[in-house]
């Protein structure tokens, strides 16, 4: 039997991108494409756009969920470090707000530190490393 589009298996995880202060759907769509390409670098991980069934009054079929990806793989749990590293680099590079990784009713949110937090860390490092 084939798997129906839009259904997740137990090995699937959903990644939800929070675009941060920018709210336009075009930019979120670009972010989604970029994270999808980054995650495809992980050997054995399949990544696709999340889909949902069309609601009443809409054309039949599946709707693409902007800002959401579904990742699956035989040993996805062993890929946690690689996924984390890619998401952190993605957040830093794109300035997106966060990415939430969901598996059933459990989730983890990886947030990019704010510019103020980064500046504070730099100031603390300067104080720590200052020669007197």
């Amino acid at each position: 039997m084939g798997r129906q589009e839009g259904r997740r298996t137990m090995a699937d995880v959903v990644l939800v991108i929070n675009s941060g202060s920018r709210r336009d759907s075009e930019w979120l769509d670009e972010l989604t494409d970029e994270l999808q390409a980054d995650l495809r670098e992980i050997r054995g991980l399949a990544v696709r756009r999340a889909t949902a069934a069309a609601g009443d009054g809409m054309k039949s079929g599946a709707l693409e969920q902007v800002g959401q990806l579904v990742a699956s793989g035989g040993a996805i749990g062993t890929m946690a470090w690689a996924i984390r590293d890619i998401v952190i680099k993605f957040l830093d590079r794109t300035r997106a707000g966060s990415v939430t990784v969901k598996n059933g009713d459990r989730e983890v949110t990886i947030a990019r530190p704010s510019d103020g937090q980064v500046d504070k860390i730099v100031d603390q490092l300067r104080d720590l490393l200052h020669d007197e």
Side-chain angles (χ1 to χ4, degrees):
M1 271 192 249
R3 192 171 122 190
Q4 290 182 330
E5 188 64 30
R7 285 185 106 171
R8 295 193 325 254
T9 67
M10 293 304 282
D12 290 350
V13 294
V14 176
L15 293 95
V16 181
I17 301 168
N18 173 339
S19 62
S21 59
R22 286 190 65 176
R23 300 284 179 210
D24 57 283
S25 60
E26 249 180 60
W27 191 64
L28 185 55
D29 192 46
E30 288 175 24
L31 288 177
T32 305
D33 287 344
E34 200 168 321
L35 182 56
Q36 183 176 17
D38 291 349
L39 290 169
R40 285 187 172 158
E41 299 288 322
I42 300 172
R43 176 176 279 179
L45 186 68
V47 184
R48 61 178 169 77
R49 293 273 188 143
T51 57
D56 291 339
M58 302 187 83
K59 292 182 179 180
S60 63
L63 299 175
E64 189 173 272
Q65 299 292 300
V66 175
Q68 293 189 28
L69 297 169
V70 176
S72 58
I76 199 163
T78 63
M79 300 173 193
W81 292 102
I83 292 171
R84 181 210 59 186
D85 290 347
I86 286 174
V87 168
I88 289 170
K89 288 176 186 173
F90 165 80
L91 290 171
D92 188 48
R93 182 180 69 242
T94 64
R95 311 299 283 169
S98 66
V99 172
T100 300
V101 181
K102 298 180 179 186
N103 186 354
D105 60 351
R106 299 178 312 171
E107 64 182 52
V108 172
T109 299
I110 303 169
R112 181 186 62 80
S114 69
D115 293 337
Q117 289 170 319
V118 172
D119 290 344
K120 186 175 180 178
I121 291 168
V122 170
D123 289 342
Q124 290 173 342
L125 284 172
R126 282 185 184 138
D127 289 343
L128 177 72
L129 301 175
H130 185 267
D131 285 335
E132 292 192 35

